[in-house]
Amino acid sequence: MEIEKTRESLRRFTRQQMMELDTCAHCALCTEKCPAYAGSDVPNYAPGIRSSKAVKLYNKQLGLRARFLGPKPVTKEEIADLADSAFNCTLCGRCMETCPFGLQTHELWTSVRRLVHDLGGSLPNVKMLDEMLGEYWNPYGLDADMRLDWADYTDLEDAPVKDQAEVAYFVGCTTAFKGANHEVAYSIASILNQQKEDWTLLGEDEWCCGSPLLLAGNEERTREFAEHNVQELEARGVKKVITGCAGCFRVFKWEYPKLLGSSPNFEVIHAVEYLRDSLVQGGLKLEPFKGKVAYHDPCELSRLGGVIDAPREALKFISPGYVELPEHGMDVRCCGGGGLLQAANNDLRLEIVKQRLDQAESLGVEVLTSACPACKLAFVDGVNANESDIEVLDILELAAKQLGLL
Ligand code: SF4
Ligand code: SF4
């Protein structure tokens, strides 16, 4: 591997990140909580092992010895080994909450993926997804004019695409293009219509939020996508962006300002926050659901996004007797649906989701809700693989059903 290119990429780690990597004591406290390790027992997937591999690479190129004696080349095998560790991770951020040294591991692992990407070592499926996004602006390689097909399939009467609006519903690729999530989009749109919001969709002008690109380590392309989406939304005079996807929410709210160097001229909220506000303020009246419901916190919405109370406040109206799963809120155990794990290692994803479903099964949960299309897909796949009787619904779908809209 070309030495200068490697050094250049390693220099993209911030000084704080290098200090953090060096600080990692490999105590393995985080390993105990890591879903990727729990689902595999593979040492290479443990967070502490990943940090030691990244440090080794850094030292070979930019460490003290390298400065005096010259850098040593990084081999293809070393990059492949780092990629194997970096992508067998859901980027759930649980290791960050556990680390006694406060290492910002979520950002660290994202930077390690960027390093792997810069060095051309991404896993084949991740590379393909990255290329698909470059060509189609969505990770599924589908034409942009299919973005609104969900509205036809669900017979939504009013799916506005306007030049100007107060509110925009940013649907997101995994909701727009995956059949299992079409009724999530329908539910959100129907609630906005019921509330008589002045709202719009971006239609064909919506590009992927960029989350999968960031997870693939392609920071430059993520920035292009952020610029495009912000431009389209601001041109319509949008004041509030609502998204039903935890990944879209997190990148819009927390990554776009960093990538673009300033905050967009609109507020970003998740649909569950809109739902909570509409229920609390009395605009929406529904019939409470009587079955046993549990809510799974999407990692990108809760631990990484800061939205933990809103779904619970909404559930007090939708299903007052809802039960908490073990390992929830800030300490949520990932469902396996994040971090592009499906592209990297779907067997591991299914094992992780099985472990989460087992927790719901042991509580006798009838309806398992979440607030993210990637979580819903993971749970649907898990329920099918394990022949479980649990019904999987997004919290917005459950609300729409109880409102008589779905
Ligand atoms: S808990 Fe922190 S210090 Fe310990 S291995 Fe994990 S990242 Fe390193
Ligand atoms: S982000 Fe999650 S899956 Fe990745 S190493 Fe940390 S705990 Fe494990």
Side-chain angles (χ1 to χ4, degrees):
M1 183 54 56
E2 210 184 301
I3 286 184
E4 203 35 55
K5 196 174 169 195
T6 314
R7 285 160 68 94
E8 205 179 295
S9 183
L10 282 162
R11 285 196 194 98
R12 298 180 74 185
F13 281 79
T14 64
R15 196 168 292 178
Q16 186 187 329
Q17 286 184 318
M18 288 324 303
M19 273 168 49
E20 286 182 354
L21 284 173
D22 223 22
T23 305
C24 175
H26 313 298
C27 63
L29 285 173
C30 53
T31 306
E32 288 170 26
K33 295 266 191 167
C34 170
Y37 184 76
S40 66
D41 278 336
V42 174
N44 204 33
Y45 305 166
I49 299 284
R50 187 172 311 134
S51 63
S52 65
K53 288 184 191 246
V55 169
K56 192 173 156 210
L57 237 69
Y58 183 87
N59 285 340
K60 277 182 94 173
Q61 295 282 310
L62 296 167
L64 204 58
R65 196 181 154 84
R67 267 184 257 165
F68 286 115
L69 302 173
K72 283 190 182 166
V74 173
T75 64
K76 276 193 179 146
E77 290 70 29
E78 282 174 309
I79 297 169
D81 190 39
L82 188 63
D84 179 58
S85 175
F87 284 97
N88 277 290
C89 161
T90 63
L91 281 179
C92 68
R94 203 173 185 205
C95 42
M96 183 169 68
E97 283 308 309
T98 322
C99 178
F101 299 98
L103 266 60
Q104 299 300 298
T105 54
H106 182 264
E107 283 188 29
L108 270 179
W109 308 150
T110 308
S111 296
V112 170
R113 287 187 181 199
R114 188 187 61 205
L115 173 66
V116 169
H117 170 267
D118 286 354
L119 301 182
S122 292
L123 306 185
N125 282 352
V126 174
K127 229 181 241 175
M128 205 163 71
L129 185 136
D130 187 352
E131 284 163 9
M132 210 101 84
L133 276 151
E135 198 171 334
Y136 294 93
W137 307 300
N138 69 72
Y140 304 112
L142 294 169
D143 290 330
D145 62 6
M146 293 171 73
R147 268 207 186 263
L148 284 183
D149 282 3
W150 62 268
D152 288 336
Y153 295 148
T154 56
D155 289 330
L156 180 71
E157 275 177 23
D158 193 8
V161 181
K162 301 183 194 165
D163 289 340
Q164 291 287 307
E166 279 289 307
V167 174
Y169 168 32
F170 189 91
V171 183
C173 307
T174 304
T175 306
F177 293 119
K178 290 284 174 186
N181 286 314
H182 285 169
E183 289 192 343
V184 179
Y186 175 88
S187 301
I188 295 172
S190 301
I191 290 171
L192 290 170
N193 283 337
Q194 168 135 343
Q195 291 294 81
K196 301 199 179 348
E197 291 288 353
D198 169 23
W199 72 283
T200 187
L201 297 155
L202 289 185
E204 291 185 30
D205 292 329
E206 180 179 309
W207 285 10
C208 171
C209 66
S211 173
L213 287 166
L214 206 57
L215 304 180
N218 193 341
E219 195 176 298
E220 285 67 31
R221 194 171 274 166
T222 314
R223 188 171 294 110
E224 276 174 43
F225 278 50
E227 278 165 3
H228 169 86
N229 285 325
V230 168
Q231 205 177 330
E232 291 295 333
L233 289 158
E234 289 186 346
R236 287 166 174 79
V238 167
K239 298 284 176 295
K240 186 185 285 184
V241 173
I242 298 178
T243 174
C245 171
C248 297
F249 171 80
R250 196 187 72 78
V251 289
F252 260 87
K253 185 147 182 131
W254 303 112
E255 299 292 347
Y256 277 17
K258 283 191 267 172
L259 287 162
L260 302 175
S262 63
S263 294
N265 291 331
F266 47 75
E267 181 192 4
V268 179
I269 64 167
H270 189 280
V272 76
E273 296 179 282
Y274 179 83
L275 175 66
R276 183 267 320 267
D277 292 346
S278 304
L279 289 166
V280 169
Q281 287 155 19
L284 284 180
K285 300 254 183 272
L286 47 67
E287 187 63 33
F289 179 77
K290 302 228 168 49
K292 197 166 195 177
V293 173
Y295 173 74
H296 165 82
D297 290 277
C299 305
E300 297 209 73
L301 186 63
S302 53
R303 183 165 42 238
L304 302 170
V307 179
I308 292 175
D309 294 338
R312 290 169 172 82
E313 286 160 9
L315 276 170
K316 283 181 192 158
F317 292 85
I318 305 166
S319 178
Y322 80 93
V323 293
E324 286 287 7
L325 294 170
E327 304 179 287
H328 60 266
M330 281 301 272
D331 187 40
V332 65
R333 182 191 186 105
C334 178
C335 68
L340 304 184
L341 189 62
Q342 187 172 13
N345 185 345
N346 194 42
D347 288 344
L348 177 55
R349 168 181 172 262
L350 290 175
E351 179 54 34
I352 295 173
V353 75
K354 180 185 181 305
Q355 294 181 359
R356 189 60 168 156
L357 272 174
D358 285 348
Q359 293 181 314
E361 295 269 11
S362 66
L363 289 177
V365 168
E366 292 163 56
V367 176
L368 181 57
T369 66
S370 191
C372 177
C375 296
K376 184 173 177 196
L377 286 187
F379 283 128
V380 167
D381 287 352
V383 159
N384 290 337
N386 296 293
E387 296 179 4
S388 165
D389 291 330
I390 290 181
E391 186 180 5
V392 179
L393 285 176
D394 189 276
I395 189 169
L396 272 298
E397 289 177 295
L398 183 59
K401 275 180 189 268
Q402 298 314 110
L403 285 161
L405 297 171
L406 185 64

